Amino acid sequence: SLRAYPKYSGEEIGVNASADESYLSEQFCYLIDNPQRIEELSKNAIEFVINNHESSVIANMYISIWGL
C-alpha cells in the first residue's frame, strides 16, 4: 500500500492499474484532453520516488526496522 511510505501524503502519482477497459479508456481520454494533468502526475511521481526511494531514505528505514 502507498500509505506505508513515510513521506507520502496521498497525491495521485499515476493512473490506477485496472483490468477494467472502460475505466482505463476514460482515464486515458481524460489525460489526452488535459495534458496539464499529465504534468502534475509526472511531478508527483518524481517527488514520490525521490522522497521514498532515495538510497538514504531506504537505508534509514532498514536501520529503524532492524534496530541496527
Side-chain angles (χ1 to χ4, degrees):
S1 167
L2 289 173
R3 292 184 188 106
Y5 289 95
K7 296 181 180 179
Y8 177 62
S9 58
E11 59 279 339
E12 285 187 88
I13 59 173
V15 174
N16 186 23
S18 172
D20 182 347
E21 291 178 24
S22 62
Y23 167 79
L24 288 175
S25 175
E26 178 183 306
Q27 293 297 307
F28 291 135
C29 286
Y30 177 80
L31 291 175
I32 290 167
D33 292 337
N34 298 280
Q36 74 282 358
R37 185 66 180 137
I38 295 172
E39 292 177 26
E40 290 173 23
L41 291 174
S42 177
K43 179 181 151 279
N44 292 347
I46 290 168
E47 287 180 15
F48 176 83
V49 169
I50 290 170
N51 291 331
N52 293 286
H53 291 288
E54 187 176 309
S55 59
S56 62
V57 171
I58 299 301
N60 286 330
M61 287 174 69
Y62 274 106
I63 289 169
S64 69
I65 291 170
W66 292 97
L68 302 174

